[in-house]
mmCIF file of all heavy atoms in Angstrom:
data_model
loop_
_atom_site.group_PDB
_atom_site.id
_atom_site.type_symbol
_atom_site.label_atom_id
_atom_site.label_comp_id
_atom_site.label_asym_id
_atom_site.label_seq_id
_atom_site.Cartn_x
_atom_site.Cartn_y
_atom_site.Cartn_z
ATOM 1 N N LEU A 116 19.355 79.078 120.508
ATOM 2 C CA LEU A 116 18.689 80.045 119.598
ATOM 3 C C LEU A 116 19.430 80.197 118.334
ATOM 4 O O LEU A 116 20.579 80.591 118.407
ATOM 5 C CB LEU A 116 18.365 81.333 120.305
ATOM 6 C CG LEU A 116 17.589 82.366 119.546
ATOM 7 C CD1 LEU A 116 16.234 81.858 119.252
ATOM 8 C CD2 LEU A 116 17.633 83.670 120.251
ATOM 9 N N VAL A 117 18.823 79.907 117.245
ATOM 10 C CA VAL A 117 19.395 80.105 115.915
ATOM 11 C C VAL A 117 18.644 81.273 115.215
ATOM 12 O O VAL A 117 17.425 81.205 115.184
ATOM 13 C CB VAL A 117 19.260 78.816 115.042
ATOM 14 C CG1 VAL A 117 19.858 78.995 113.649
ATOM 15 C CG2 VAL A 117 19.969 77.652 115.753
ATOM 16 N N THR A 118 19.345 82.185 114.701
ATOM 17 C CA THR A 118 18.703 83.326 114.027
ATOM 18 C C THR A 118 18.884 83.228 112.517
ATOM 19 O O THR A 118 19.969 82.991 111.974
ATOM 20 C CB THR A 118 19.397 84.661 114.504
ATOM 21 O OG1 THR A 118 19.296 84.772 115.846
ATOM 22 C CG2 THR A 118 18.768 85.851 113.859
ATOM 23 N N MET A 119 17.830 83.226 111.856
ATOM 24 C CA MET A 119 17.791 83.168 110.378
ATOM 25 C C MET A 119 17.434 84.538 109.823
ATOM 26 O O MET A 119 16.384 85.137 110.191
ATOM 27 C CB MET A 119 16.699 82.170 109.869
ATOM 28 C CG MET A 119 16.975 80.748 110.184
ATOM 29 S SD MET A 119 18.396 80.068 109.292
ATOM 30 C CE MET A 119 17.823 80.089 107.661
ATOM 31 N N PRO A 120 18.334 85.125 109.026
ATOM 32 C CA PRO A 120 18.099 86.465 108.456
ATOM 33 C C PRO A 120 16.938 86.521 107.523
ATOM 34 O O PRO A 120 16.592 85.547 106.902
ATOM 35 C CB PRO A 120 19.383 86.835 107.768
ATOM 36 C CG PRO A 120 20.039 85.544 107.532
ATOM 37 C CD PRO A 120 19.588 84.587 108.509
ATOM 38 N N ARG A 121 16.281 87.673 107.456
ATOM 39 C CA ARG A 121 15.184 87.879 106.599
ATOM 40 C C ARG A 121 15.771 87.920 105.127
ATOM 41 O O ARG A 121 16.716 88.632 104.867
ATOM 42 C CB ARG A 121 14.459 89.169 106.900
ATOM 43 C CG ARG A 121 13.258 89.464 106.023
ATOM 44 C CD ARG A 121 12.620 90.745 106.465
ATOM 45 N NE ARG A 121 11.315 90.863 105.956
ATOM 46 C CZ ARG A 121 10.188 90.499 106.596
ATOM 47 N NH1 ARG A 121 10.224 89.973 107.788
ATOM 48 N NH2 ARG A 121 9.019 90.615 106.006
ATOM 49 N N ALA A 122 15.191 87.144 104.220
ATOM 50 C CA ALA A 122 15.713 87.098 102.845
ATOM 51 C C ALA A 122 15.098 88.260 102.104
ATOM 52 O O ALA A 122 13.951 88.696 102.334
ATOM 53 C CB ALA A 122 15.286 85.788 102.221
ATOM 54 N N GLU A 123 15.786 88.804 101.165
ATOM 55 C CA GLU A 123 15.309 89.799 100.279
ATOM 56 C C GLU A 123 14.125 89.320 99.479
ATOM 57 O O GLU A 123 13.135 90.014 99.292
ATOM 58 C CB GLU A 123 16.368 90.293 99.326
ATOM 59 C CG GLU A 123 17.510 91.014 99.976
ATOM 60 C CD GLU A 123 17.123 92.342 100.478
ATOM 61 O OE1 GLU A 123 16.291 93.067 99.882
ATOM 62 O OE2 GLU A 123 17.614 92.709 101.567
ATOM 63 N N VAL A 124 14.179 88.010 99.000
ATOM 64 C CA VAL A 124 13.106 87.399 98.267
ATOM 65 C C VAL A 124 12.897 86.048 98.851
ATOM 66 O O VAL A 124 13.867 85.387 99.304
ATOM 67 C CB VAL A 124 13.559 87.210 96.786
ATOM 68 C CG1 VAL A 124 12.509 86.543 95.958
ATOM 69 C CG2 VAL A 124 13.946 88.570 96.183
ATOM 70 N N GLU A 125 11.630 85.723 98.983
ATOM 71 C CA GLU A 125 11.271 84.335 99.545
ATOM 72 C C GLU A 125 11.961 83.251 98.724
ATOM 73 O O GLU A 125 11.925 83.328 97.439
ATOM 74 C CB GLU A 125 9.796 84.181 99.644
ATOM 75 C CG GLU A 125 9.038 85.033 100.616
ATOM 76 C CD GLU A 125 9.550 84.694 102.079
ATOM 77 O OE1 GLU A 125 9.589 83.541 102.343
ATOM 78 O OE2 GLU A 125 9.743 85.627 102.816
ATOM 79 N N PRO A 126 12.461 82.224 99.362
ATOM 80 C CA PRO A 126 13.089 81.165 98.574
ATOM 81 C C PRO A 126 12.102 80.479 97.656
ATOM 82 O O PRO A 126 10.985 80.101 98.168
ATOM 83 C CB PRO A 126 13.617 80.188 99.593
ATOM 84 C CG PRO A 126 12.952 80.531 100.902
ATOM 85 C CD PRO A 126 12.569 81.917 100.773
ATOM 86 N N ALA A 127 12.397 80.292 96.398
ATOM 87 C CA ALA A 127 11.443 79.727 95.502
ATOM 88 C C ALA A 127 12.076 78.534 94.708
ATOM 89 O O ALA A 127 11.425 78.023 93.825
ATOM 90 C CB ALA A 127 10.953 80.854 94.561
ATOM 91 N N SER A 128 13.308 78.143 95.014
ATOM 92 C CA SER A 128 13.895 77.158 94.265
ATOM 93 C C SER A 128 14.629 76.181 95.233
ATOM 94 O O SER A 128 14.905 76.548 96.412
ATOM 95 C CB SER A 128 14.958 77.618 93.229
ATOM 96 O OG SER A 128 16.044 78.167 93.945
#
Side-chain angles (χ1 to χ4, degrees):
L116 181 64
V117 178
T118 302
M119 293 293 291
R121 184 179 196 93
E123 293 291 323
V124 178
E125 290 295 315
S128 70

